[in-house]
Amino acid sequence: MERFMVSTTAPIQHLSWVAVERERGRVVSFSGGRLWDTLIVVVEGSLLYQPCGKRACDGFTAQKGDCVFFPRGAKNICTYLEGRNRIISVQMQAAGQTAFFHNRPKLYPNAAADGEVNRVITSVLSCEDIEPQARSLFLTSQFYLLLYHLKRSFLNSAEWEQNQRDYQRLKPAIDDLTLHFYENRKAAEYAAMVHMCESGFRKLFLKCMGQSPIAYRNAVRMQKANDMLTSGEFSVTQAAQAVGIENLSFFCREYKKFFGTCANRRSGG
């Protein structure tokens, strides 16, 4: 009998960043939608973001010290407002179709006023002395920290504590979904693990995790399958069966939806 183990991986598959400096009046359009989840850190100056095809009053201005998150697919026009404007743009490719951080644009005003956020931003801006390979690892770790501290700092203590309580309540089901992703349980069975009715469980899971329990399990399955295929040790059929999907056509459709390429292009067998 063939046995194997697949490690748990982070939900962000790829992370890259670029520092941008532009003059007043420069306009950049994302009318076709942003390709990746994007976090903007405004280092200097200010920018006006307006959603495409909507009223001007629906836009907002991001100033020095602010952070802005845009989910993949967000359509907007960015106008640089000051004589000198500098931003750091962090692009994240998350596994699955649900936005990793938020499902709509979100402004974090004066984020740099938070001590932890400011420390991360300062360290990113002063990393030139680190040799290139180590710098890449350092920046990746710092951007993960930045996301965490943004999430923490813009929730009041009651909201933060409630979020933690919600997660702890769901944790047995989340653990089972994550560790036993190959099992085809129904949502009602996961609800029973945390002593909730199915409708209440679904609602709380969506609030806490940003997607339904089955969508979450499917995202885990696709990530695990991708790990197996890119290892070169598994065929498409073996990977599909290992993650609990018997219908090969369905597996290939889902894989392409998640990763933008055919599964057999990643397979070693």
Side-chain angles (χ1 to χ4, degrees):
M1 179 179 178
E2 203 172 15
R3 297 179 63 84
F4 57 91
M5 293 180 65
V6 181
S7 63
T8 301
T9 57
I12 295 181
Q13 296 173 282
H14 178 81
L15 186 149
S16 62
W17 70 284
V18 61
V20 178
E21 183 171 334
R22 290 197 169 116
E23 70 285 354
R24 179 188 286 113
R26 180 66 181 273
V27 177
V28 180
S29 174
F30 295 92
S31 58
R34 291 180 181 265
L35 296 178
W36 290 358
D37 292 349
T38 303
L39 179 69
I40 305 292
V41 180
V42 184
V43 179
E44 186 175 354
S46 59
L47 302 88
L48 173 64
Y49 290 101
Q50 294 175 290
C52 294
K54 296 186 179 180
R55 299 173 301 170
C57 62
D58 291 331
F60 57 86
T61 300
Q63 301 175 333
K64 178 180 178 180
D66 293 352
C67 290
V68 187
F69 180 82
F70 291 102
R72 176 176 46 191
K75 299 178 180 181
N76 58 76
I77 298 171
C78 169
T79 305
Y80 290 79
L81 301 178
E82 304 295 334
R84 187 183 186 205
N85 306 276
R86 288 195 300 149
I87 66 168
I88 297 172
S89 177
V90 186
Q91 292 81 44
M92 296 161 281
Q93 184 180 14
Q97 300 302 299
T98 301
F100 168 65
F101 202 51
H102 293 293
N103 58 11
R104 64 186 63 185
K106 183 172 180 61
L107 171 67
Y108 291 93
N110 201 23
D114 179 85
E116 296 295 340
V117 172
N118 187 56
R119 270 191 283 276
V120 173
I121 294 174
T122 300
S123 68
V124 168
L125 293 173
S126 58
C127 69
E128 293 302 319
D129 292 336
I130 304 175
E131 62 93 5
Q133 287 185 331
R135 187 190 310 157
S136 176
L137 294 171
F138 172 77
L139 287 171
T140 299
S141 69
Q142 292 305 294
F143 289 132
Y144 271 104
L145 269 178
L146 180 58
L147 290 172
Y148 169 75
H149 288 306
L150 284 175
K151 194 80 169 177
R152 173 194 54 77
S153 64
F154 281 84
L155 290 174
N156 62 44
S157 58
E159 291 173 322
W160 178 259
E161 290 171 5
Q162 184 60 53
N163 278 5
Q164 300 310 304
R165 285 196 295 270
D166 290 344
Y167 179 78
Q168 289 302 318
R169 185 176 186 185
L170 293 171
K171 193 172 184 302
I174 294 170
D175 287 347
D176 194 86
L177 283 158
T178 304
L179 297 174
H180 303 129
F181 53 87
Y182 45 81
E183 294 184 357
N184 290 304
R185 299 184 190 276
K186 296 181 179 179
E189 295 178 80
Y190 296 116
M193 293 178 188
V194 295
H195 311 291
M196 295 180 68
C197 67
E198 183 178 347
S199 61
F201 170 73
R202 285 179 178 272
K203 185 181 295 185
L204 186 62
F205 197 99
L206 180 63
K207 173 191 169 189
C208 190
M209 303 298 288
Q211 55 192 323
S212 72
I214 304 307
Y216 174 85
R217 183 179 67 194
N218 202 41
V220 174
R221 284 177 167 181
M222 290 299 110
Q223 185 59 62
K224 303 299 185 184
N226 187 57
D227 291 344
M228 286 185 272
L229 291 175
T230 54
S231 75
E233 297 287 341
F234 299 86
S235 69
V236 174
T237 300
Q238 289 171 333
Q241 291 176 344
V243 300
I245 299 177
E246 297 296 331
N247 187 321
L248 191 59
S249 296
F250 172 78
F251 173 82
C252 290
R253 287 196 304 271
E254 288 298 294
Y255 187 92
K256 188 169 185 179
K257 185 192 301 182
F258 272 73
F259 300 106
T261 188
C262 296
N264 57 19
R265 293 183 180 175
R266 300 276 179 90
S267 170

